[in-house]
Amino acid sequence: MSRIKRWINMNKKEFNPDGTLKDEARNQMLSRGMNSGAIDSYARRLKEEYDQWKHLDETSPEPWTVYTAYDFFTPSEKRQFNPDGSLKPEYIQSALKMGISEGWLEEMKRRKGIDIDNYNKVSAKKAEQGINFGEQKMNALIGGSRTYVQRRKLMEEDLRNFEDADSLPFDKDTSY
């Protein structure tokens, strides 16, 4: 969603939604022996960062690709279900001919509806925090489908960029 929502979410313990330092946070810092000037400097730097992120949101908003639960259905599920979780009429006919009971078809529909509702709830909750849940989920699927050679090339690039060893797909001391 927006950079500023992410900023607010990251800093909500110490800062107000308008980017100013909370009085409680200032008092806690003073009680820990921090210098008032250092606190003011910290508050000013983060307020400047807040203003910069807010300006970027207003002038150059980040793209927000909207994914639905249907985007994460398997190919088989896409043959069976409509995007709203109802069963496709042609699938129902085929399933009944194969001897699948109407009760089981209703159960399939009910379960898929629950999956869709859960996806929508999580997606909405994450959007409030400025997180694109669908995009994260899609990136995880794409990342998981990369080949060994692709992951190795990305790791080589990560090593050149001095990424943390914990974030690498392989042990950096292993010869690949």
Side-chain angles (χ1 to χ4, degrees), residues 130-142:
I131 299 167
N132 188 334
F133 175 69
E135 184 175 50
Q136 283 185 335
K137 190 170 171 129
M138 187 61 72
N139 288 340
L141 285 174
I142 292 168

Side-chain angles (χ1 to χ4, degrees), residues 4-53:
I4 204 64
K5 280 188 177 182
R6 282 196 307 278
W7 188 95
I8 291 168
N9 193 47
M10 288 186 310
N11 296 291
K12 65 185 170 194
K13 289 183 181 176
E14 293 181 334
F15 289 85
N16 296 308
D18 66 354
T20 57
L21 184 65
K22 290 181 179 180
D23 290 335
E24 311 88 68
R26 175 181 298 282
N27 292 336
Q28 189 176 41
M29 291 176 195
L30 286 169
S31 72
R32 289 189 304 219
M34 283 185 73
N35 172 317
S36 183
I39 296 170
D40 291 342
S41 174
Y42 171 69
R44 191 172 33 260
R45 283 192 322 271
L46 266 80
K47 175 65 171 147
E48 288 171 3
E49 181 182 75
Y50 169 92
D51 291 339
Q52 183 180 28
W53 284 33

Side-chain angles (χ1 to χ4, degrees), residues 46-96:
L46 266 80
K47 175 65 171 147
E48 288 171 3
E49 181 182 75
Y50 169 92
D51 291 339
Q52 183 180 28
W53 284 33
K54 184 175 180 184
H55 177 73
L56 281 171
D57 277 348
E58 293 165 354
T59 58
S60 177
E62 291 180 316
W64 188 274
T65 305
V66 177
Y67 291 97
T68 66
Y70 187 74
D71 294 315
F72 300 99
F73 284 13
T74 65
S76 170
E77 290 172 327
K78 287 183 178 181
R79 286 189 298 274
Q80 298 170 342
F81 296 97
N82 293 309
D84 67 355
S86 62
L87 287 164
K88 291 184 175 183
E90 58 273 14
Y91 176 74
I92 293 172
Q93 290 175 356
S94 166
L96 289 172

